Structure formats: structure tokens, C-alpha cells
Amino acid sequence: MYRLYSFPPSGNCYKLRLFLTQLQIPFELVSVNLLNQETYLPEFLQKNPNGKVPVLEIEPDVFLTESNSILIYLAEETDFFSRDRLERNQILKWLFFEQFSLGANLSRPRFWITVVKQAEQFAPLIAYHQRLGNAGLGVMEQHLTTHSFFVGERYTIADIALYSYTHVAHEGGYDLSKFPNIQEWCDRVQSQPNHIRIDQNSRSLLG
Amino acid sequence: MYRLYSFPPSGNCYKLRLFLTQLQIPFELVSVNLLNQETYLPEFLQKNPNGKVPVLEIEPDVFLTESNSILIYLAEETDFFSRDRLERNQILKWLFFEQFSLGANLSRPRFWITVVKQAEQFAPLIAYHQRLGNAGLGVMEQHLTTHSFFVGERYTIADIALYSYTHVAHEGGYDLSKFPNIQEWCDRVQSQPNHIRIDQNSRSLLG
């Protein structure tokens, strides 16, 4: 059985809890506490030398890392990805956009403000990331003026990746009321079969 | 013929000039000047609503964006990518690592220090990114203790993506002498057939 190493508040880990649940693939959930530097212990660095979660152990001692590459691995033969070359490229485009233009810009302010509650100490970096993150959200908002989902007018791993931190952006000081198309898209994502919330237990044995 | 919109100093644009040249695919090169905000003019935003280069026009009015998704598009049927599921996942892993852990951390200090020469004004942000970037380089250095290339012991798009900003990291204030394995890997990348330098004209009609 797959084993997922996950820090519960992490959007990158949530992507995989959500997608594995929607694929109805059973998995063992192992909670890792980033706040204790657990991911930098030698035992964990053997799983991921980059010291980050999520890590998906697909068989004993075979570890996959980088959430979006794992989404692709799981989705390759399903309709959550695509067999069409150009459509596949569009999904990949949004996955890379998510990591570069959204990723740290949404996750770090949220981490500082909501997870470790050090907003004052990190105020200049929060403002720096928020300026970039609002630009990224603006690109998504514009795309959603003419699309129900990001690629192919259906729910794909592009939506899963983009949703993971976007729907909790307010916890990083973002004002999603400025992005009504994004809010409506979030509703559509939440109405997909087998959706689970970020704070919800998933279809796992443990955790 | 493909048309590549490129800002000459950009590592993300260099990836594509390099790979198209190595694939021996002819292309028209259109230089775009980021410093004039050209990528935020309405005409350019029609090509890429995210206001970024590179953009690859593969046929009239069909624009691909996000450098790493374009690398995959070009590589899919070649040995620069992989037909093996797990190896493909490893290549994708490094492509996402490159965008998240290296990308902005290497490119923004380089932009502020070397391109626009505003190191003093951006000193705190440069230090912030350098701390993260050195961690990313450390992960690469460790991987290269037991590997000649990043995946499959051969030159793939993972190497192209990682090389693009790494080999000019010193222009962002990084000290690559601390990473001898990376320096040797850079030599191996540079010795590949049809390699071009970042400041070198590529196999294009214009530019």
C-alpha cells in the first residue's frame, strides 16, 4: 500500500490526500511535523534529501517527491491528465505556474501568519510575496472569465494543484473577494466527487 | 517555423534556445526587453497573460508558456525525456524542484545584482533568496556525488532546466566553488553536442 508522509496544514500535501482519495487509492498516512524540523532528520532525508513533504512511498524504499510530479505520476493513465499533446502541455503549464507564480507566494505568508503566527517579524517578506501572489491570482481570475476549469473544461490535476493553496489564501492575508471567478471555481472544485477538505481526514488507515 | 520570444539574459529563455538548437529545430528568435515592461503591453499579454517570457509560438496564434512545460513538449518523443514511468517521474521531479527551490532564488538575485544593478536596494531580498538557493544547490551537490547527470546517467531536460540558472549563479552572488560536483556537472553539460552559451547566438534566423 502507498504510504504518504504529510504535514497536515501543507497545501502541497493536501493535493495528494485529495487526489488519492478521489482516485479511491487506499494509502497509509504518516503525519510529519515540520515545526520540529522532523524533515531534516537523517532518517527523513533518506526519503527526500530536499527535506520537504509530501513524500509518497510507492513501494518499500521507493520515494516520490515534489507534489506536482506525484500528481502526474498518479494521473498519467486517467482523465485527470490528457492523452492529447497540446492539452497535456496546458495542464503542465498550469502545474509549473502553480509552483513558480503561486507556490511560495501563497504558502509562506500563510505559514508565517497562520501556522507559526509570526506575521510581524516577517512583515516585509509577507508583503513581497503577496504582491507577487496577487499577480498570480490575477492571471487565474482572468483565465476563469472564459473557463469553468483550467484545462479542457473539466476537472484535472491542474485544478487540484491550483486549488490547494488558493482556497486557503485568506490565511496568508489575501482577499479572495477581489477574485469572484476564483471563488466560483473553488465552489466547482469542492463539488467534485469524493472531495475532502484540507482539514478533513482522508480515506486512509492511519492519521 | 517556431517563433521564440526571449529576453536574452533570462535563464528560462536560454533553456529553450539551447534545447531547440540541440534538437536542431530551426526557429525565429524575437528579442523582448523585460526592462521596458514590454511583456505587459496588451499585444504581448495576448500571447502570455502572465506577462512572462519565454513564449514559444508553435503555429500562428498558438503560444506555449512556462519554460519547463515547453521543454517537455519538445522532448516527449526523444531520449531527452523518458518512456519509463518512474524515470519520467524523476525528470519531472527535478523540473518542479528547479522552478520552486532554485528558480526565483537564483534568478532574482542575479536580476537585481547583474541585470539592473540594484544590489543595495534589494539587499534583504537578495539575502533571503540566497539562503533558500544555497539549500537548493546543496541538494543538487549531494545528488551529484553519485550521479553524472540528474536522471538515468544521461543528459536529459532535467539537466537543461537545472543548468540554465545554476551555471550563472555567481552573477547572483553565489559562490559555486563550494559546490565542486555542480561545477564538474556544468562541464559535462557544456560538452554536449550542439551546446551554446547563454550569451551566444543560437541556430536562429533573427537575433
Side-chain angles (χ1 to χ4, degrees):
Chain A
M1 186 185 298
Y2 287 168
R3 180 181 290 155
L4 178 66
Y5 296 85
S6 162
F7 177 56
S10 156
N12 284 328
C13 294
Y14 169 55
K15 287 175 193 171
L16 298 183
R17 293 201 307 277
L18 172 58
F19 192 41
L20 285 166
T21 301
Q22 293 190 310
L23 290 172
Q24 306 203 41
I25 295 176
F27 61 100
E28 179 187 345
L29 187 63
V30 179
S31 285
V32 175
N33 188 353
L34 290 191
L35 307 180
N36 292 347
Q37 306 281 313
E38 270 180 40
T39 61
Y40 292 99
L41 295 176
E43 192 186 305
F44 193 86
L45 290 174
Q46 288 192 333
K47 307 183 202 323
N48 182 7
N50 199 18
K52 293 187 195 300
V53 282
V55 172
L56 185 67
E57 190 171 3
I58 56 171
E59 51 188 86
D61 292 324
V62 178
F63 302 102
L64 307 189
T65 64
E66 295 291 334
S67 57
N68 287 358
S69 85
I70 304 173
L71 285 180
I72 296 166
Y73 180 88
L74 295 171
E76 273 190 334
E77 301 299 319
T78 76
D79 289 337
F80 296 98
F81 201 41
S82 178
R83 285 167 185 81
D84 175 78
R85 186 182 182 196
L86 202 53
E87 196 174 84
R88 199 161 52 238
N89 171 266
Q90 296 302 299
I91 293 174
L92 292 169
K93 173 189 81 171
W94 284 111
L95 293 180
F96 285 108
F97 168 91
E98 191 268 332
Q99 284 294 289
F100 189 88
S101 294
L102 232 51
N105 299 323
L106 267 58
S107 67
R108 293 209 182 115
R110 177 171 172 262
F111 186 80
W112 291 320
I113 293 171
T114 299
V115 180
V116 294
K117 303 191 194 312
Q118 300 179 326
E120 208 166 313
Q121 180 182 342
F122 288 99
L125 287 174
I126 289 170
Y128 166 66
H129 279 298
Q130 283 175 341
R131 186 178 61 75
L132 295 165
N134 273 309
L137 291 171
V139 172
M140 292 168 62
E141 177 72 8
Q142 185 194 335
H143 187 75
L144 292 169
T145 56
T146 51
H147 299 83
S148 304
F149 293 102
F150 276 88
V151 180
E153 290 303 300
R154 68 181 196 284
Y155 178 70
T156 71
I157 52 173
D159 300 287
I160 293 175
L162 290 164
Y163 176 79
S164 65
Y165 282 104
T166 298
H167 83 291
V168 288
H170 59 280
E171 297 179 1
Y174 287 89
D175 178 8
L176 280 184
S177 72
K178 294 188 293 185
F179 304 101
N181 295 330
I182 290 179
Q183 290 187 307
E184 288 175 24
W185 163 78
C186 283
D187 291 342
R188 286 192 289 277
V189 169
Q190 287 156 17
S191 70
Q192 295 300 306
N194 294 309
H195 181 82
I196 55 167
R197 295 192 317 270
I198 193 168
D199 61 354
Q200 194 172 340
N201 272 341
S202 46
R203 198 182 282 268
S204 67
L205 291 181
L206 304 173
Chain B
M1 186 185 299
Y2 286 169
R3 179 181 290 154
L4 179 65
Y5 296 85
S6 162
F7 177 55
S10 155
N12 285 328
C13 295
Y14 169 56
K15 286 176 194 171
L16 298 183
R17 294 199 308 277
L18 172 59
F19 192 41
L20 286 166
T21 301
Q22 294 189 309
L23 290 172
Q24 306 204 41
I25 295 176
F27 61 99
E28 180 187 345
L29 187 63
V30 179
S31 284
V32 175
N33 188 353
L34 289 192
L35 307 180
N36 293 346
Q37 305 281 314
E38 272 179 40
T39 59
Y40 292 99
L41 295 176
E43 191 186 306
F44 193 86
L45 290 174
Q46 288 190 333
K47 306 184 202 322
N48 183 5
N50 199 16
K52 293 187 195 301
V53 283
V55 173
L56 186 67
E57 189 172 3
I58 55 171
E59 51 186 84
D61 291 325
V62 178
F63 302 102
L64 307 189
T65 64
E66 295 291 333
S67 58
N68 286 358
S69 86
I70 304 173
L71 286 180
I72 296 166
Y73 179 88
L74 296 170
E76 273 189 335
E77 301 298 319
T78 77
D79 289 338
F80 296 97
F81 201 42
S82 178
R83 284 167 185 82
D84 175 78
R85 187 182 182 196
L86 202 52
E87 197 175 83
R88 200 161 51 237
N89 171 265
Q90 296 303 298
I91 293 174
L92 292 169
K93 172 189 81 172
W94 285 111
L95 293 180
F96 285 108
F97 168 90
E98 190 268 332
Q99 285 293 290
F100 189 88
S101 294
L102 232 51
N105 299 323
L106 267 58
S107 67
R108 294 209 182 115
R110 178 171 172 261
F111 186 80
W112 291 319
I113 293 171
T114 299
V115 180
V116 294
K117 301 189 196 311
Q118 300 179 326
E120 207 165 315
Q121 179 182 343
F122 288 98
L125 286 175
I126 289 171
Y128 166 66
H129 279 297
Q130 283 175 341
R131 186 179 60 75
L132 295 165
N134 273 309
L137 291 171
V139 172
M140 291 168 63
E141 177 72 7
Q142 185 195 337
H143 186 75
L144 291 169
T145 56
T146 52
H147 298 84
S148 304
F149 293 101
F150 276 87
V151 181
E153 289 304 298
R154 67 180 198 283
Y155 178 69
T156 70
I157 52 173
D159 300 287
I160 293 175
L162 291 163
Y163 176 79
S164 65
Y165 281 104
T166 299
H167 84 290
V168 288
H170 58 281
E171 297 179 1
Y174 286 89
D175 178 8
L176 281 183
S177 73
K178 293 188 293 185
F179 304 102
N181 295 330
I182 289 179
Q183 290 186 306
E184 287 175 24
W185 163 77
C186 283
D187 291 342
R188 287 191 289 276
V189 169
Q190 286 155 19
S191 71
Q192 295 300 306
N194 295 309
H195 182 81
I196 55 167
R197 296 193 316 272
I198 193 169
D199 61 354
Q200 195 173 339
N201 273 340
S202 46
R203 198 181 282 268
S204 66
L205 291 180
L206 304 173

